[in-house]
Amino acid sequence: MTDAAPLDAQSAFSGTREVDPRYRLDEAALDAWMRAHVSGYAGPLTMRQFKGGQSNPTYELVTPSAAYVLRRKPPGVLLPSAHAVDREFQVISALAAHGFPVAKPHALCLDETVIGSIFYVMDKVEGRIFWDLKLPGLTPVERRAVYEAQTDTLARLHAFDPAAIGLGDYGKAGNYFARQVGRWTKQYRASETEPVPAMDRLIAFLPDSLPPEGPSRIVHGDFRLDNMILAPDRAEVRAVLDWELSTLGDPMADFSYLLIAWAIPASLRNGLAGADLEALGIPSVEETVERYAAATGMRPANLDWLYAYNLFRLAAICQGIAGRVRDGTAASAHAKTMAAQVGPLSNAAWGFAKKAGA
């Protein structure tokens, strides 16, 4: 997603802060639950809130012998099907059991009386999170290695047969893009705060121009560099984070979402368009497509439509954040900045829709 250019994303989103008063937890109740459900846990615990995490409040729990991460559903009135931390726990549990890089999950709590909403606890994975796609401070060789590791990790995710790892019922089969366009249209309408003409045009165009159906795979839903923890000293993905939007679907949705960064202006922290990729050492779209295709045998057929879809979806997500700002339930200090992106994102999406035949 996009932010205003002056924001120093690395400092703004990295690390932790004091827990937002709106999201304070009952530490005694949590400590008792951890003792009963997390093997090896021993308090006392100290708690801080991660700066990142637009949607589900995320906490660092530190004890004398271990560090954990808690992800919770935010309190208050929420959009239907949003903030599904129980689904996050299900998918990372299955993937961890088959060696895919995720944080080790410990336990899920469906009892809302413990801290006020459902939550789960996983290991805290140490390493680097990169918030700026230009990767300032790295060499060209290091940048290329990071980008190749990112592509290889996505290809590895899409290689799983969902049924073979216990996720055959993790989502509906078929009509993925049709269902997603419908879902995000509903989410957008439920959060709508003012008319956005480009969104209205996209809502009319996208359902009537769907691409051919691809195979059913595990789709992360928000696969990007700042949702990964890399090893401190090399380009190894230690954990993929934030599985809230994951489901079964067309792998081209994930892959084209990753590629959208090359179409977003380099003036933004999550954009590469206009950057000197060769000088930076960052692979081009074509190189990334070839690397992914070599690993999976799959490649995108109509990138303009896929870009329009992904930008529409991002706009709908940002509109959801705008709705939470309105309702007072937004978890991030930067939520208002995110909400302001609905117009620019939808205009960019309509530009690609026109290239795709709208």
Side-chain angles (χ1 to χ4, degrees), residues 336-355:
K336 289 184 180 179
T337 304
M338 303 293 291
Q341 296 304 309
V342 176
L345 284 168
S346 60
N347 287 333
W350 183 244
F352 282 110
K354 288 191 288 187
K355 290 182 184 178

Side-chain angles (χ1 to χ4, degrees), residues 15-16 31-32 42 59 65-66 78 81 85 111 114 123 128 143 157 171 175 179 198 220 223 273 283-285 301 315:
T16 61
D31 177 76
Y59 305 78
S65 61
L78 304 171
S81 80
V85 297
D111 181 356
V114 177
D123 272 352
R128 301 173 293 170
R143 290 190 191 101
L157 176 67
N175 302 315
R179 288 185 288 104
H220 179 276
F223 193 90
S284 65
V285 167

Side-chain angles (χ1 to χ4, degrees), residues 25-35 41 45 47 114:
L25 308 181
D26 183 333
E27 292 192 26
L30 178 60
D31 177 76
W33 182 89
M34 296 275 287
R35 290 177 190 277
Y41 170 81
L45 69 80
M47 184 186 312
V114 177

Side-chain angles (χ1 to χ4, degrees), residues 288-357:
T288 305
V289 167
E290 290 307 316
R291 188 175 186 91
Y292 176 86
T296 65
M298 297 181 287
R299 62 178 67 239
N302 187 345
L303 269 180
D304 287 327
W305 191 95
L306 291 166
Y307 283 171
Y309 159 77
N310 278 294
L311 289 166
F312 161 77
R313 180 172 163 273
L314 283 176
I317 290 169
C318 287
Q319 186 62 52
I321 294 169
R324 294 205 301 280
V325 170
R326 175 196 62 202
D327 299 337
T329 60
S332 169
H334 304 286
K336 289 184 180 179
T337 304
M338 303 293 291
Q341 296 304 309
V342 176
L345 284 168
S346 60
N347 287 333
W350 183 244
F352 282 110
K354 288 191 288 187
K355 290 182 184 178

Side-chain angles (χ1 to χ4, degrees), residues 53-56 71 88 92 120 122 220-224 226-228 240-246:
Q54 300 287 346
S55 182
N56 294 320
R71 291 265 288 176
E88 283 192 12
I92 68 171
Y120 71 93
M122 58 186 165
H220 179 276
D222 198 11
F223 193 90
R224 52 195 171 101
D226 57 25
N227 273 336
M228 288 173 231
V240 178
L241 308 175
D242 196 359
W243 294 83
E244 181 195 350
L245 297 174
S246 62

Side-chain angles (χ1 to χ4, degrees), residues 4-128:
L7 180 67
D8 178 356
Q10 197 66 35
S11 62
F13 296 118
S14 294
T16 61
R17 56 182 170 86
E18 293 293 323
V19 176
D20 186 318
R22 295 172 297 167
Y23 302 115
R24 285 201 180 119
L25 308 181
D26 183 333
E27 292 192 26
L30 178 60
D31 177 76
W33 182 89
M34 296 275 287
R35 290 177 190 277
H37 295 92
V38 177
S39 177
Y41 170 81
L45 69 80
T46 58
M47 184 186 312
R48 289 178 63 82
Q49 188 173 351
F50 285 98
K51 293 180 186 177
Q54 300 287 346
S55 182
N56 294 320
T58 305
Y59 305 78
E60 177 190 52
L61 310 178
V62 177
T63 72
S65 61
Y68 307 91
V69 171
L70 182 152
R71 291 265 288 176
R72 70 175 295 195
K73 197 170 191 171
V77 178
L78 304 171
L79 292 172
S81 80
H83 314 284
V85 297
D86 49 341
R87 284 177 58 80
E88 283 192 12
F89 184 80
Q90 179 186 357
V91 73
I92 68 171
S93 296
L95 290 169
H98 289 82
F100 187 80
V102 290
K104 177 185 175 182
H106 287 287
L108 170 69
C109 179
L110 297 175
D111 181 356
E112 295 186 0
T113 66
V114 177
I115 65 167
S117 61
I118 69 172
F119 67 93
Y120 71 93
V121 172
M122 58 186 165
D123 272 352
K124 183 186 179 190
V125 177
E126 297 297 338
R128 301 173 293 170

